[in-house]
Amino acid sequence: MSENLAIVILNWNGRHWLEKFLPSVIQYAKNAEVYVIDNCSTDDSIKLLQTQFPTVKIVLNDKNYGFAGGYNEGLRSIRAEFYCLLNSDVEVTENWIDPVLNLFKTDSKIAAIQPKILSFNNHKYFEFAGAGGGLIDNLGYPYCRGRVFDDVEEDKGQYDDEAEIFWASGCCLFIRSKDFWEQNGFDARFFAHQEEIDLCWRLKNSGKKIYYTGKSKVYHVGGGTLNKQSPQKTFLNIRNNLSMMLKNLPFPELIWVLFLRMILDGAASFYFAYKNGISHLWAVLRGHYGFYAHIPGTWKLRKENQMKKYYQTKWLIFKHFLGSEKK
């Protein structure tokens, strides 16, 4: 059934993750081809693949292009109707492929799908990166069914459905290859973080749909490359989120949302400094300078048409931190 599916794992010095999680991927791959794109690792990942996983096909990048650029470079040599972009720190389950491919068959406008993403370290709870499907508020803050900012829900079957969402998580992203390449793939300038949200937003602006299916589930460790307390992750999230909004927000929301976000990011920098250390304050400032540097290139990537109703809720940050909206 899955002869047109390529399961593609991007690796950079992740030998321990490959050793731990590749067996489940191979076991439950069915007829799909399994690929590892290596981002010029300096550990012995390639030796491990060649000796212990000879059925896995290896694509070698000539340098570390990051998550976004790494997939763009590696996928050029992979031919398949569907890609599954899978993080190396994900454990898959027995029936994780068929529900996704069956859902693709129902509507040709469905460009991307994610499964239910649960925590590998605590199977009862959703995982931060994707949970029960990605959404966005009117200020550009991403959240999920099952996760609002850092508050994660217990899985009690509340998201066992199949539903249209705003963005699908990059930790386990099924996508039609033609839709991926019609959008020129990820924005490689992002390097890592929120590149999948930007891609899904562009897909939706072009009239495509993004879906979630609770009939498929995987378990994600999270933080395999950058943990949540990393200043570099704060920098990338701030810079990429602002660039994503400049590229995809409709007028006139673009002007006032960016202005308000500048103020809120300033406030957030002190919160991050209090919570995680002063280095995160500088990371927010670096994120803004990085966004300013991106502006000319980002502006050129704006399309003529943006969704007028792009968000699923309003003022989430105020409802969450000043109110009672924790789910």
Side-chain angles (χ1 to χ4, degrees):
M1 180 177 188
S2 50
E3 61 271 17
N4 291 317
L5 173 67
I7 301 169
V8 188
I9 298 167
L10 184 69
N11 175 66
W12 181 70
N13 291 341
R15 181 194 189 282
H16 57 298
W17 297 123
L18 296 174
E19 188 173 31
K20 185 176 182 66
F21 293 117
L22 253 183
S24 74
V25 176
I26 295 170
Q27 181 182 0
Y28 300 125
K30 294 197 172 182
N31 296 321
E33 296 281 4
V34 180
Y35 294 80
V36 169
I37 299 172
D38 188 78
N39 247 350
C40 206
S41 293
T42 56
D43 65 3
D44 61 346
S45 295
I46 301 303
K47 182 179 179 181
L48 172 79
L49 293 170
Q50 293 171 336
T51 57
Q52 295 192 29
F53 305 105
T55 62
V56 173
K57 297 184 177 182
I58 303 170
V59 178
L60 298 175
N61 286 342
D62 60 353
K63 65 179 182 180
N64 181 10
Y65 290 94
F67 185 94
Y71 267 122
N72 286 355
E73 291 296 318
L75 288 173
R76 298 185 201 284
S77 62
I78 298 175
R79 299 289 178 264
E81 182 180 0
F82 301 100
Y83 299 139
C84 171
L85 310 186
L86 185 70
N87 276 19
S88 59
D89 61 344
V90 171
E91 180 182 62
V92 303
T93 59
E94 184 173 0
N95 189 38
W96 72 296
I97 292 176
D98 287 353
V100 176
L101 296 185
N102 288 337
L103 185 53
F104 272 122
K105 288 180 178 180
T106 66
D107 190 342
S108 62
K109 287 194 173 183
I110 297 177
I113 300 172
Q114 75 153 77
K116 178 190 288 189
I117 301 172
L118 298 169
S119 169
F120 177 78
N121 296 312
N122 189 341
H123 285 195
K124 293 182 179 180
Y125 283 82
F126 287 96
E127 210 281 315
F128 182 90
L135 305 171
I136 199 166
D137 87 330
N138 63 320
L139 298 181
Y141 290 112
Y143 65 106
C144 306
R145 303 192 318 157
R147 191 269 297 172
V148 178
F149 292 103
D150 288 338
D151 288 326
V152 180
E153 296 177 32
E154 183 177 357
D155 176 21
K156 298 180 179 179
Q158 66 271 44
Y159 305 119
D160 283 350
D161 58 350
E162 293 183 328
E164 187 169 1
I165 55 176
F166 188 79
W167 57 273
S169 173
C171 89
C172 186
L173 174 65
F174 288 82
I175 187 165
R176 296 184 195 269
S177 59
K178 68 178 183 65
D179 290 318
F180 182 86
W181 290 117
E182 281 177 3
Q183 296 298 323
N184 296 314
F186 294 122
D187 187 335
R189 301 172 309 155
F190 280 30
F191 191 79
H193 296 295
Q194 301 201 30
E195 68 289 316
E196 79 270 43
I197 306 176
D198 170 64
L199 174 59
C200 288
W201 200 337
R202 287 185 276 132
L203 286 165
K204 291 183 76 69
N205 279 340
S206 69
K208 301 295 184 177
K209 299 177 183 178
I210 315 298
Y211 260 78
Y212 160 88
T213 176
K215 297 178 182 178
S216 169
K217 66 181 177 182
V218 300
Y219 299 98
H220 183 215
V221 174
T225 304
L226 289 176
N227 64 48
K228 291 198 294 184
Q229 283 71 45
S230 166
Q232 182 67 5
K233 185 167 186 175
T234 298
F235 158 72
L236 290 169
N237 275 322
I238 292 291
R239 184 196 66 182
N240 295 348
N241 185 264
L242 293 171
S243 292
M244 174 180 71
M245 290 193 294
L246 177 62
K247 189 190 304 181
N248 296 298
L249 275 173
F251 285 112
E253 284 88 348
L254 175 64
I255 306 302
W256 69 262
V257 168
L258 281 178
F259 176 74
L260 184 54
R261 278 296 303 274
M262 298 293 177
I263 299 171
L264 290 171
D265 284 356
S269 67
F270 291 99
Y271 171 77
F272 290 150
Y274 170 77
K275 186 178 179 181
N276 298 317
I278 193 68
S279 59
H280 287 262
L281 185 151
W282 300 119
V284 173
L285 293 175
R286 285 174 54 227
H288 277 254
Y289 287 126
F291 163 63
Y292 303 146
H294 272 184
I295 285 177
T298 303
W299 190 260
K300 292 179 181 178
L301 294 174
R302 275 184 66 88
K303 305 294 184 182
E304 291 184 5
N305 299 314
Q306 279 79 28
M307 297 170 62
K308 297 302 180 186
K309 177 64 167 61
Y310 57 91
Y311 52 86
Q312 290 73 60
T313 192
K314 288 185 174 183
W315 316 114
L316 182 64
I317 192 168
F318 301 110
K319 292 177 182 177
H320 181 75
F321 290 103
L322 302 179
S324 59
E325 193 161 320
K326 306 298 182 184
K327 297 184 180 181

